[in-house]
Amino acid sequence: MRDIVFTRGSGWIPNVVSEDGELKLMLGAGADANHEPRTFTFPIGEDHLAVIRTDLGRHLLLWSAVLPLCGDAGTGGRLDENAAVALLDPVLLASPADVDALFRRIRWDRSRLVAHGADIGLLQRGQVCAAMRSATETPNEKRAQEHRADRRRADRGTVLGPLDAAVLRFTGQYAHGATVPRRMPDAVDAALLPAVMRVVATAEQACAGMHIGLDPRRGHRATDKRAWDRMAAAVDTAVRRAHPELADDAVRTVSFLMCSEAAKRSGNTPVEDDEETAGDRADLDERGRKTALSFTDDKGVEKKWRRDGPRSATAEFWDFVADRSAADNEVFTIEDEEMGEGIQVHFYADSLARVTTVREGKGGSDPEYRVEYTLVDGIEGYRNLVSAFVRGGCAALDRHGPWMSDVAEFERARRRRTAR
């Protein structure tokens, strides 16, 4: 039977329990193979309980020293009770100087102490007992997360200044660099907020007019990597020029903020709007404007579109691409059977072919086609060409060349571009 003898009632601080009349320290740490929390116990004496009751700092130091042993137990191993018991007297009953010396020799969990208010400067100087004078029962996990982030930065030689730290707190990326950034002015000290906003304004000016569209070649929510990289480079250059004192971490988080906001705007924009923004109004020719189209992929799947339907042709086509595109499915065709023309996009080769019927097949003879190729620069290039074709047919593509009918010439152009 297990009875609780002493608990601080806050978070995961170890409890003292009685099992069949024997005092034990009980703590939760790690997880088993099913991701359920593991609980460990080991025996303690009455003199240890007396210190645990009255000295929060020593209680937390013991916890910090035992946690690495729990980690050694893994998902199913046993706690090394002898090693845990051997820590009791040196941590709880020894002089502060001896405890400090002990912590210079053993492994211990620094983050637990930081979360519970330990003085970070004293911890770094090895004065663990003095550091625990500011300890609190209630943990501050954010403080521990930021301390771990600072240690990771220190390992790679990065030290943040006050403005660097403020910029990272503004974007919510101080503790977790992989977190999607957002604007959090309330997280910044009021005295530093104006300086942070000047940095953000520099970034906004640098990417004004730029956008990051979606890339349906990689699914429905993927963003255009080239556009992302262009915007990030523009912001990076401008911010470094205007604010040379900023650390790399601060510059990167501002670039990330601008790019993620631009990508989110694209994700929230209806796909139908693409036809209004892609291409050029000069491509529009009502005589060539499509009324019915057929979309196919390299697997033989076909989708029909008609002008009187609820969505634009470009929206339907790119939706079809997002659904079907894969590493082994990178060729898509748009065909206008009535006009005898179409285009074929080759995502694997960054190219596009336009196909025009020169002569209809008669009397059993095959029809004659004119096939011309052009190189395409990223997903924006594909969007412009698809939109131009939908607006005005193959004739509208003339101004988007050069077009090459000689396959050998086209292959040489591809190789030259690849070599650059």
Side-chain angles (χ1 to χ4, degrees):
M1 184 174 176
R2 177 182 292 172
D3 296 313
I4 294 178
V5 175
F6 175 75
T7 179
R8 293 193 180 274
S10 177
W12 291 81
I13 299 178
N15 299 324
V16 177
V17 299
S18 174
E19 287 186 342
D20 299 326
E22 184 180 20
L23 289 176
K24 292 186 176 182
L25 192 74
M26 181 177 71
L27 69 156
D32 61 20
N34 295 319
H35 306 290
E36 295 293 331
R38 295 202 67 191
T39 300
F40 301 92
T41 61
F42 61 93
I44 66 171
E46 290 286 353
D47 52 348
H48 304 133
L49 172 60
V51 175
I52 288 172
R53 283 184 184 275
T54 59
D55 193 330
L56 171 63
R58 294 284 181 123
H59 190 180
L60 294 173
L61 285 171
L62 177 62
W63 184 24
S64 172
V66 173
L67 278 173
L69 300 178
C70 298
D72 292 344
T75 59
R78 295 174 59 85
L79 175 69
D80 185 342
E81 285 195 8
N82 291 333
V85 169
L87 290 169
L88 290 170
D89 286 358
V91 174
L92 297 178
L93 305 179
S95 69
D98 288 340
V99 174
D100 290 348
L102 172 71
F103 272 69
R104 287 193 288 270
R105 300 193 306 270
I106 66 171
R107 295 176 297 151
W108 49 287
D109 191 312
R110 181 188 302 263
S111 65
R112 285 301 84 216
L113 303 185
V114 172
H116 282 271
D119 185 297
I120 295 173
L122 291 174
L123 286 181
Q124 292 173 335
R125 292 193 291 273
Q127 298 173 261
V128 294
C129 285
M132 300 313 295
R133 292 172 188 157
S134 57
T136 61
E137 282 197 19
T138 303
N140 182 343
E141 296 301 336
K142 182 179 178 181
R143 184 174 190 255
Q145 291 168 357
E146 292 191 350
H147 177 63
R148 287 194 293 270
D150 286 336
R151 286 175 63 83
R152 290 194 298 269
R153 293 187 184 100
D155 288 343
R156 51 185 169 84
T158 298
V159 178
L160 300 180
L163 182 56
D164 299 316
V167 169
L168 286 161
R169 288 194 171 94
F170 178 84
T171 64
Q173 288 202 301
Y174 189 101
H176 302 290
T179 302
V180 176
R182 56 196 186 280
R183 301 185 185 222
M184 303 172 59
D186 291 345
V188 180
D189 184 278
L192 286 169
L193 185 57
V196 171
M197 297 312 298
R198 285 193 291 273
V199 173
V200 173
T202 299
E204 290 172 335
Q205 292 167 7
C207 62
M210 302 178 73
H211 75 283
I212 300 175
L214 299 179
D215 188 347
R217 296 174 298 179
R218 295 164 40 232
H220 285 279
R221 305 300 297 177
T223 56
D224 181 355
K225 186 178 185 301
R226 282 192 184 185
W228 182 292
D229 290 344
R230 282 197 300 269
M231 182 178 290
V235 172
D236 187 280
T237 300
V239 171
R240 289 182 190 279
R241 183 184 300 120
H243 308 278
E245 75 282 8
L246 285 180
D248 288 346
D249 287 30
V251 176
R252 280 195 295 267
T253 197
V254 175
S255 295
F256 194 4
L257 176 66
M258 296 297 111
C259 291
S260 62
E261 288 180 343
K264 184 177 181 180
R265 287 193 294 272
S266 291
N268 293 334
T269 300
V271 180
E272 281 76 6
D273 290 351
D274 287 350
E275 192 169 347
E276 298 302 320
T277 57
D280 191 298
R281 298 297 297 182
D283 293 326
L284 181 56
D285 181 348
E286 287 298 332
R287 292 172 297 176
R289 193 176 181 91
K290 303 306 179 184
T291 58
L293 295 171
S294 174
F295 310 142
T296 56
D297 66 2
D298 213 22
K299 301 292 186 181
V301 175
E302 183 178 16
K303 183 176 184 178
K304 298 288 188 179
W305 172 84
R306 294 193 61 82
R307 188 172 178 177
D308 57 3
R311 305 180 73 202
S312 70
T314 53
E316 287 284 5
F317 174 71
W318 290 117
D319 192 54
F320 180 65
V321 170
D323 284 336
R324 301 289 305 164
S325 183
D328 61 346
N329 194 21
E330 295 186 292
V331 178
F332 290 80
T333 300
I334 306 177
E335 184 179 0
D336 183 340
E337 296 179 5
E338 181 180 350
M339 298 296 294
E341 61 182 7
I343 58 174
Q344 189 176 64
V345 298
H346 313 122
F347 293 140
Y348 69 93
D350 292 325
S351 64
L352 180 144
R354 64 175 178 178
V355 183
T356 308
T357 302
V358 176
R359 180 178 56 81
E360 298 287 349
K362 294 181 180 180
S365 64
D366 292 332
E368 181 182 347
Y369 300 105
R370 180 172 65 251
V371 182
E372 300 167 291
Y373 303 89
T374 190
L375 299 173
V376 182
D377 186 18
I379 189 62
E380 289 183 1
Y382 281 118
R383 285 187 180 277
N384 287 335
L385 289 165
V386 168
S387 180
F389 177 75
V390 169
R391 289 172 176 274
C394 281
L397 296 173
D398 287 344
R399 63 194 303 272
H400 293 275
W403 295 93
M404 292 162 273
S405 56
D406 184 274
V407 175
E409 178 189 1
F410 173 65
E411 287 299 327
R412 286 193 295 271
R414 279 186 58 199
R415 287 194 293 270
R416 285 195 299 270
R417 181 175 66 178
T418 302
R420 288 203 299 266

